[in-house]
C-alpha cells in the first residue's frame, strides 16, 4: 500500500477540525470551556493503543461508521469530565439518565466530527447509534483494534476542558480508526510525496526495537528494571509537538543525529526518575540537585541509550548515522521541544514524531520518554531507499555500546 503523505496531512487537519467542532458542541451543550490540544495520525499496533486509556477510568461512546469512510470512533471522557457533564445535564442522582446523557452528548459531538470528512470526500458517511462504554484500557478501545496485532492508522485528538466548579482540568479524547480498505482508497497517490506503508511499518518496528535496547541499557547501568510500554510513529503539525509533550518538568538530554537522515533525539526523565537514575549511577551524595556530577551521569546514560536506539536504524538502512554529544536539559517538556521544533519548522509544517515510553514493570514510578524528530524529506528519501529484506538487521552487539 502506497501512502500519499500530503493526503495524510489533509486528513490530519480534517480530524483536528472535527475535534474542534466536537469540542464546540460540548461547550454549547454544557457551558464547559474547551481547547483542542493536539491532533495527530499515529501508526501503531493494538498493544500500544491500549495505553491510551490506562490509569483513570473513562466513559463515553463507540460509534461505527460506514460509507466512503468506514471504521470506528471512540469519544471518551475522564472521570472529571463525565461528572461535569452528567451533573450539568442530569442534576438528579439517576444513573440511567446520566448514562443516557453521555450517549446523547457523544452522539452530537461525533456528528460534528464526521461532517467535515463527509464534506471533503463529497460523500455520505453514516453513523451507527452510540454504544456506551466505560472502563480502562481495552474496555474503551475500538473493538476492531483488539482483533490482531496489525498496524493501524489512528487519528488521535486530545482535548482539555475546564469548568468553574471543577479544580482539575477535564480530559477527553477522540479516536478515529478507519478500516484499511477505505483508508487505502482515500489515500491513493495523487502527488509525488509517496511512502510505502510496509516501509513505515518496518521503520516503526525498528524504532520499537531501538527503544527496547535503550530500556535494556538503562537496566544494565542502573539496575532499574524497565520495559517499553508505547512506541508509535505519528504525523503531527510541528506547532503542536511541544503541547504533545506538555508542561510537566523533565531532566534529560538532547542530541542531534546525522547521516542517511538527520534530526534530533530527546530523552526525558520525569524529575523523580531522573533522581533515581543519578542515585544509581553516582555512588556518593552531592550538594546540588543537577550539578556537574548529576548532569554528567545523565549525559553518559543518554549517550549509551542513543547508540542503542539509532544503531538499529543504521543497520537496516545499511548506512552510517552518527550523533552529537548529549546536551543536558532541565525544563518543561514544551520548553525543551520548542527550540527544536522552531528549527524544523523552517522547512516543514508537519513532522514525523517517533515516540517511545519506558517505564518500570510494576508501580510505574519510573518513566522515560524518547522522542525522535527526523527531518521529514530526508526520512522519506531514506524510506524510499530502504530494502525490506534488511528489516531483520536490528541487532546491536551489547559490547559495542560500552
Amino acid at each position: 500500500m502506497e501512502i500519499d503523505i500530503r493526503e495524510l496531512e489533509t486528513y490530519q487537519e480534517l480530524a483536528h477540525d472535527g475535534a474542534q467542532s466536537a469540542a464546540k458542541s460540548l461547550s454549547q451543550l454544557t457551558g464547559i470551556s474547551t481547547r483542542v490540544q493536539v491532533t495527530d495520525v499515529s501508526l501503531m499496533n493494538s498493544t500500544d493503543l491500549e495505553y491510551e486509556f490506562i490509569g483513570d477510568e473513562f466513559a463515553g461512546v463507540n460509534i461505527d461508521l460506514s460509507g466512503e469512510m468506514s471504521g470506528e470512533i471512540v469519544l471518551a471522557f475522564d472521570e472529571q469530565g463525565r461528572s461535569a457533564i452528567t451533573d450539568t445535564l442530569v442534576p438528579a442522582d439517576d444513573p440511567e439518565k446520566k448514562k443516557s446523557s453521555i450517549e446523547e452528548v457523544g452522539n452530537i459531538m461525533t456528528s460534528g466530527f464526521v461532517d467535515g470528512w463527509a464534506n471533503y470526500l463529497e460523500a455520505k458517511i453514516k453513523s451507527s447509534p452510540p454504544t456506551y462504554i466505560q472502563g480502562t484500557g481495552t474496555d474503551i478501545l475500538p473493538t476492531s483494534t483488539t482483533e490482531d496485532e496489525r498496524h493501524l492508522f489512528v487519528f488521535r485528538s486530545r482535548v482539555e476542558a475546564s469548568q468553574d466548579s471543577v479544580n482539575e482540568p477535564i480530559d477527553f479524547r477522540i479516536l478515529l480508526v478507519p478500516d484499511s480498505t477505505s483508508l487505502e482508497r482515500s489515500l491513493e497517490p495523487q502527488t509525488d510525496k509517496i511512502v510505502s506503508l510496509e516501509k513505515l511499518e518496518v521503520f516503526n518496528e525498528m524504532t520499537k526495537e531501538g527503544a527496547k535496547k535503550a530500556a535494556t541499557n538503562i537496566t544494565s547501568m542502573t539496575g532499574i528494571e524497565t520495559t517499553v510500554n508505547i512506541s508509535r510513529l505519528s504525523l503531527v503539525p510541528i506547532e503542536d509537538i511541544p503541547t504533545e509533550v506538555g508542561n510537566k518538568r523533565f531532566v534529560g538530554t538532547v542530541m542531534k543525529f546525522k547521516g542517511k537522515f538527520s534530526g534530533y533525539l530527546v530523552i526525558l526523565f520525569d524529575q523523580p526518575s531522573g533522581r533515581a537514575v543519578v542515585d544509581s549511577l553516582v555512588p556518593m551524595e552531592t550538594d546540588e540537585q543537577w550539578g556537574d556530577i548529576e548532569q554528567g551521569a545523565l549525559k553518559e546514560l543518554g549517550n549509551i541509550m542513543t547508540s542503542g536506539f539509532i544503531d538499529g536504524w543504521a543497520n537496516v538502512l545499511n548506512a552510517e548515522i552518527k550523533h552529537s554529544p548529549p546536551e543536558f536539559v532541565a525544563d518543561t517538556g514544551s520548553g525543551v521541544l520548542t527550540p527544536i521544533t522552531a528549527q524544523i519548522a523552517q522547512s516543514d509544517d508537519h513532522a514525523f514524531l517517533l515516540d517511545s515510553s519506558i517505564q518500570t514493570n510494576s508501580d510505574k514510578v519510573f518513566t522515560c520518554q524518547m522522542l525522535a524528530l527526523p527531518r521529514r524529506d530526508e526520512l522519506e528519501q531514506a524510506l524510499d531507499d530502504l530494502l525490506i529484506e534488511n528489516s531483520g538487521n536490528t541487532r546491536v552487539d551489547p559490547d559495542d555500546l560500552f
Side-chain angles (χ1 to χ4, degrees):
M1 176 178 173
E2 299 293 315
I3 299 294
D4 189 320
I5 297 299
R6 294 292 179 252
E7 280 294 288
L8 197 59
E9 289 176 4
T10 298
Y11 275 33
Q12 179 276 324
E13 291 164 359
L14 287 171
H16 177 77
D17 292 344
Q20 287 187 318
S21 177
K24 183 179 179 181
S25 296
L26 178 64
S27 297
Q28 291 172 340
L29 288 166
T30 64
I32 296 172
S33 299
T34 58
R35 181 173 69 90
V36 179
Q37 290 189 304
V38 64
T39 298
D40 64 37
V41 51
S42 295
L43 183 66
M44 62 176 80
N45 63 34
S46 57
T47 302
D48 295 324
L49 190 56
E50 289 179 23
Y51 290 95
E52 192 74 24
F53 297 105
I54 288 294
D56 296 334
E57 184 171 79
F58 288 81
V61 296
N62 179 300
I63 292 176
D64 291 326
L65 302 179
S66 59
E68 187 67 20
M69 174 63 73
S70 56
E72 290 182 76
I73 291 180
V74 163
L75 188 150
F77 303 94
D78 66 3
E79 180 61 32
Q80 293 272 22
R82 180 177 56 168
S83 297
I85 292 168
T86 56
D87 290 349
T88 299
L89 299 178
V90 187
D93 188 15
D94 187 328
E96 285 304 314
K97 286 185 178 180
K98 288 182 180 291
K99 176 180 172 180
S100 296
S101 69
I102 291 292
E103 292 175 341
E104 180 182 358
V105 168
N107 196 39
I108 293 171
M109 293 174 66
T110 303
S111 295
F113 184 84
V114 171
D115 284 348
W117 296 79
N119 291 337
Y120 176 77
L121 295 171
E122 297 181 343
K124 288 185 177 181
I125 300 176
K126 295 182 179 180
S127 302
S128 71
T131 299
Y132 181 80
I133 51 177
Q134 184 175 337
T136 62
T138 55
D139 298 329
I140 299 296
L141 292 182
T143 55
S144 61
T145 65
T146 58
E147 294 173 356
D148 55 45
E149 289 296 306
R150 72 189 191 284
H151 282 84
L152 307 160
F153 272 118
V154 183
F155 294 84
R156 306 162 56 244
S157 293
R158 191 174 76 237
V159 183
E160 185 177 89
S162 59
Q163 192 178 45
D164 292 340
S165 60
V166 180
N167 293 327
E168 295 294 326
I170 296 167
D171 173 32
F172 76 86
R173 309 183 189 178
I174 306 173
L175 300 184
L176 167 63
V177 184
D179 70 39
S180 57
T181 301
S182 64
L183 187 64
E184 182 174 5
R185 182 174 61 247
S186 301
L187 295 177
E188 285 184 354
Q190 300 186 34
T191 72
D192 59 353
K193 296 296 182 180
I194 308 302
V195 174
S196 160
L197 174 60
E198 187 178 12
K199 291 183 178 182
L200 280 177
E201 290 173 337
V202 167
F203 193 73
N204 201 25
E205 288 303 312
M206 288 160 52
T207 300
K208 177 175 280 191
E209 288 301 313
K212 288 179 180 178
K213 292 184 179 72
T216 299
N217 293 343
I218 292 175
T219 301
S220 297
M221 291 187 68
T222 67
I224 300 171
E225 293 293 333
T226 59
T227 187
V228 177
N229 282 346
I230 304 170
S231 186
R232 59 180 165 237
L233 183 154
S234 302
L235 184 66
V236 193
I238 291 175
E239 63 184 9
D240 286 353
I241 291 174
T243 305
E244 175 93 17
V245 184
N247 289 319
K248 187 175 180 178
R249 295 199 67 84
F250 295 95
V251 293
T253 55
V254 173
M255 282 149 288
K256 294 181 181 179
F257 59 85
K258 61 181 181 179
K260 185 70 174 180
F261 60 97
S262 63
Y264 296 85
L265 181 65
V266 182
I267 300 173
L268 299 176
F269 297 91
D270 65 14
Q271 298 256 358
S273 300
R275 174 48 55 184
V277 166
V278 167
D279 288 346
S280 66
L281 294 175
V282 179
M284 66 184 77
E285 291 190 10
T286 60
D287 296 331
E288 298 180 88
Q289 184 178 16
W290 305 114
D292 290 344
I293 293 176
E294 291 82 0
Q295 292 184 30
L298 282 176
K299 288 194 287 188
E300 179 184 2
L301 179 60
N303 195 50
I304 292 172
M305 289 174 64
T306 300
S307 295
F309 190 81
I310 68 175
D311 282 355
W313 292 349
N315 290 344
V316 172
L317 294 170
N318 194 27
E320 188 175 47
I321 300 177
K322 294 183 177 180
H323 65 87
S324 66
E327 175 189 346
F328 174 80
V329 290
D331 203 341
T332 63
S334 59
V336 172
L337 269 295
T338 295
I340 294 173
T341 54
Q343 289 291 322
I344 297 175
Q346 294 177 9
S347 57
D348 289 301
D349 53 8
H350 285 69
F352 284 111
L353 174 66
L354 299 148
D355 180 7
S356 299
S357 176
I358 300 172
Q359 295 183 329
T360 52
N361 294 317
S362 53
D363 55 13
K364 297 185 180 179
V365 170
F366 180 97
T367 61
C368 171
Q369 193 169 9
M370 299 188 71
L371 302 162
L373 270 170
R375 294 197 176 276
R376 197 181 67 177
D377 58 340
E378 297 177 10
L379 176 60
E380 289 173 359
Q381 183 59 54
L383 289 174
D384 191 50
D385 296 340
L386 186 151
L387 299 176
I388 298 295
E389 55 266 31
N390 288 342
S391 60
N393 298 338
T394 57
R395 184 182 179 279
V396 178
D397 189 337
D399 293 336
D400 293 341
L401 302 177
F402 297 91

